[in-house]
Amino acid sequence: MSAQDVLIWLRRQTKSRFVRFGLPFLTMIVGGSFGLKYFASLRYEFSRRKMITHEEADQYGVKMKKEKSSIEDTYQKMKEEDIDTWQNVRGPRPWEDSKTIQAELRSGQATNASS
């Protein structure tokens, strides 16, 4: 095979639709899957962080919740609230000034509470 035959073969191959479009597409799909695997492993590797203790939080000035609330605690708080006496108060419309509406509502509640 001479050099001229090799050049002719290369020209024919580059005119092929598979070599021009299919081969780069398959390369991106296969290469992309390996790339995604690498980046996903980084994500999970750095998401497994160590939890800090309350002493460390105080040392660094981080505010943490002191105690976790349970469903029973939340239920007790809701039982203590008075849900029978409430008033439906509408919010201001977009064309209304919220400050004046709030002032009117407060003055109306003050007159209702005093009577």
Side-chain angles (χ1 to χ4, degrees):
M1 223 181 199
S2 68
Q4 190 173 9
D5 292 336
V6 171
L7 288 175
I8 291 172
W9 181 79
L10 281 174
R11 282 190 195 131
R12 283 186 188 152
Q13 292 302 318
T14 56
K15 287 182 182 179
S16 168
R17 289 181 60 87
F18 174 75
V19 172
R20 287 178 56 206
F21 300 112
L23 197 59
F25 177 73
L26 289 175
T27 305
M28 289 294 290
I29 295 297
V30 172
S33 68
F34 284 111
L36 283 176
K37 179 182 174 185
Y38 173 73
F39 285 115
S41 69
L42 282 177
R43 172 183 169 195
Y44 291 117
E45 179 181 331
F46 286 108
S47 67
R48 295 185 197 119
R49 287 181 262 169
K50 180 184 108 174
M51 299 297 288
I52 61 172
T53 62
H54 288 291
E55 293 80 24
E56 291 173 338
D58 291 338
Q59 178 184 359
Y60 295 119
V62 177
K63 295 181 181 177
M64 291 182 65
K65 273 188 166 179
K66 294 295 179 189
E67 59 187 51
K68 293 185 177 183
S69 94
S70 65
I71 294 175
E72 291 82 15
D73 295 337
T74 309
Y75 177 69
Q76 291 300 326
K77 287 178 188 175
M78 289 181 69
K79 267 181 36 178
E80 293 170 2
E81 291 181 6
D82 184 21
I83 59 171
D84 294 329
T85 57
W86 61 278
Q87 182 181 8
N88 189 14
V89 179
R90 76 165 179 88
R93 302 294 189 255
W95 56 86
E96 296 174 340
D97 184 29
S98 64
K99 302 280 184 191
T100 57
I101 298 295
Q102 289 175 3
E104 289 173 8
L105 289 173
R106 287 188 183 117
S107 65
Q109 287 177 354
T111 56
N112 289 342
S114 63
S115 52

